[in-house]
Amino acid sequence: MSQAELSSIPSDCILPWERNTGWLAEGFVIYKWYVDAQGDGSWLICDRTDQWYMNSEPASTMRITSTAPAGGACGSGYYGLGNYAGMKDGNAWYGWDVMMWSGSHLLPDTSFVAPPAPTEAPPGVNDDNVAPAGSMPDTMPVSDSNGKPALDASGNPIETQVLPEAPTRAKSLATANAPRHFTTAPNGATIEEVEVVLDGLVR
C-alpha cells in the first residue's frame, strides 16, 4: 500500500506496527561532487555514519537528522545524500543493503553563479535513484574539507567503506547517548528521531 493510500484511511483505523527495540536501523552517506582540472567530475564521500543508529525503544519509524554547515561540510558545491534503512523481522534483516539517492543539491545555494549540476549519480545508483543490493563499490575516495580528494601522508588517495556492515544489536549500544526525540503519530505509533553530528571525514 502506498503512502497516499495510507493517508486516505482514517488514522483510528490503522494499527501501529511497531518494531522491537533495536529492530529498526538507519544510516547515511554524504557525497560531494568534484571536478578535476580536466573538467571530469566524480563523486567523493564527504562523511558517513560509521555505524547503524537503531531504535532505543519500540517504534514504527526511525529517523536520523544532521545539520550541515552553511557552506557545506566539504566546501561549497554539489552534495547528495544516500540513505540506508533496515528492518529486522524475526531473525533476519531486510533492506539494509539498499541505498536511496536524494539527487544533487547545491550548498550554499548560489544558483545564479552555480557551476553546472552533476549529470550522474554515484556508482551503483540506477535511474530510479536506488542502489540495489550488491551494486555499490566496497570503497570510494574521500573528500577533504575543501571538496578535493583527500590524500594520506604518502600522497595516496584515502578511501572509505561505502556500505556499513550488516546491522547487529551490539552496534546500537555505542549510540545510546546520542540525542533522541520521541513523538506520537495520530495513529498512536511511536516515531524516534536521533540527532547525528557529521562534519566531514577529513578535517
Side-chain angles (χ1 to χ4, degrees):
M1 181 174 288
S2 69
Q3 183 61 49
E5 291 169 324
L6 283 173
S7 300
S8 67
I9 301 175
S11 61
D12 56 3
C13 293
I14 302 176
L15 293 176
W17 190 43
E18 293 189 336
R19 299 282 85 189
N20 295 333
T21 299
W23 282 28
L24 296 176
E26 280 280 338
F28 60 75
V29 56
I30 300 172
Y31 292 88
K32 175 67 168 61
W33 183 247
Y34 166 70
V35 179
D36 63 21
Q38 288 71 45
D40 297 324
S42 61
W43 288 102
L44 307 174
I45 292 184
C46 172
D47 209 342
R48 63 176 178 81
T49 50
D50 58 1
Q51 59 188 332
W52 292 98
Y53 288 81
M54 299 183 181
N55 57 313
S56 62
E57 64 178 56
S60 62
T61 301
M62 177 69 183
R63 296 174 182 159
I64 54 176
T65 63
S66 182
T67 302
C74 294
S76 61
Y78 286 96
Y79 286 81
L81 183 71
N83 176 243
Y84 308 108
M87 183 188 75
K88 187 178 181 182
D89 189 20
N91 294 320
W93 280 94
Y94 298 93
W96 67 272
D97 52 357
V98 175
M99 186 184 78
M100 303 297 293
W101 170 241
S102 67
S104 60
H105 307 276
L106 184 64
L107 289 177
D109 188 356
T110 53
S111 303
F112 59 99
V113 292
T119 58
E120 61 187 77
V125 177
N126 61 26
D127 292 340
D128 294 322
N129 287 331
V130 176
S135 68
M136 291 173 284
D138 292 334
T139 64
M140 282 185 61
V142 171
S143 170
D144 65 15
S145 60
N146 296 313
K148 298 179 180 180
L151 305 176
D152 63 18
S154 300
N156 299 313
I158 299 174
E159 297 213 347
T160 188
Q161 186 174 337
V162 178
L163 181 69
E165 301 291 341
T168 64
R169 179 68 186 95
K171 288 194 175 182
S172 72
L173 298 178
T175 64
N177 293 325
R180 294 171 185 261
H181 306 281
F182 300 88
T183 56
T184 302
N187 65 349
T190 298
I191 300 171
E192 181 171 345
E193 185 172 282
V194 185
E195 295 180 23
V196 181
V197 177
L198 296 178
D199 56 4
L201 286 175
V202 178
R203 306 307 300 162

